[in-house]
Amino acid sequence: MQEPPLTAAINVRAPGYLAAVARCACWHCGRDTPVVGIALTPAHETWIDDAPVSGAARAAGVWQAAAAGAWIFYVEYLPLGVRRRLQALSPLYRYAYNRATDGAYWLNLCAHCGSAQDDDHLHGEPGAGFMPTSTQAAARIELIAVNERFAAWAGGYSYDPPLFEAMRAARPGPP
Ligand SMILES: [Zn+2]
């Protein structure tokens, strides 16, 4: 069991975020399992490194304001409050090592067989978890608006995703 870092550099920040809840068929056992993810409204910023990178641990850069919503995935760092809220929605959202990517990040484990549900699948496969191909499928994804400051380090970023507006907005859940 990996211990998630308590502090880290961040490359995305926002005044709030959308906790996303969906279901998907496990790639390993094929059974239906809940998954959670993180979406951002247009009110977010991403860190852009200045080019060329000087070789310093943290290159100089700027925060760039977004103009559309986004998904983040391959999330390596989340503040404690965000972790707690997502784990309250799905206790199988864990910071864990994934063989497929040879790294640790926040990922969803199958409720039946415990297999890691790779973010490449959930966010990159049309028709899978967070990549609906119809308004009906999009409406089955629940987006819960959380009005708490958000920060993260994410290796994956999907800007202005299709069918975002078709996903239903739910009320904030318990902390
Ligand atoms: Zn499974």
Side-chain angles (χ1 to χ4, degrees):
M1 180 77 185
Q2 302 255 358
E3 283 297 319
L6 286 172
T7 58
I10 59 168
N11 63 0
V12 57
R13 66 184 187 184
Y17 63 100
L18 300 164
V21 183
R23 304 192 71 85
C24 77
C26 170
W27 66 271
H28 187 247
C29 73
R31 295 171 75 184
D32 186 61
T33 188
V35 287
V36 296
I38 300 166
L40 300 169
T41 69
H44 72 272
E45 295 175 300
T46 54
W47 178 261
I48 308 297
D49 280 334
D50 280 344
V53 175
S54 65
R58 173 75 163 189
V62 291
W63 285 104
Q64 180 173 284
W71 287 103
I72 59 167
F73 46 98
Y74 287 127
V75 176
E76 294 178 32
Y77 167 73
L78 282 177
L80 204 54
V82 181
R83 294 177 199 175
R84 287 191 175 138
R85 189 174 289 274
L86 293 175
Q87 289 189 309
L89 291 169
S90 175
L92 293 165
Y93 189 64
R94 302 271 175 84
Y95 183 78
Y97 176 77
N98 181 12
R99 244 176 319 195
T101 56
D102 192 26
Y105 65 97
W106 286 89
L107 51 75
N108 291 277
L109 302 178
C110 174
H112 308 285
C113 74
S115 294
Q117 306 298 301
D118 196 87
D119 275 358
D120 253 356
H121 178 71
L122 293 178
H123 289 276
E125 190 70 38
F130 298 115
M131 209 174 189
T133 53
S134 67
T135 51
Q136 290 89 339
R140 288 195 288 271
I141 297 172
E142 190 175 24
L143 296 180
I144 301 163
V146 182
N147 289 319
E148 289 168 6
R149 274 212 72 78
F150 179 82
W153 179 275
Y157 180 76
S158 171
Y159 186 67
D160 199 12
L163 296 168
F164 211 45
E165 69 292 338
M167 296 169 199
R168 64 197 160 97
R171 299 229 307 270

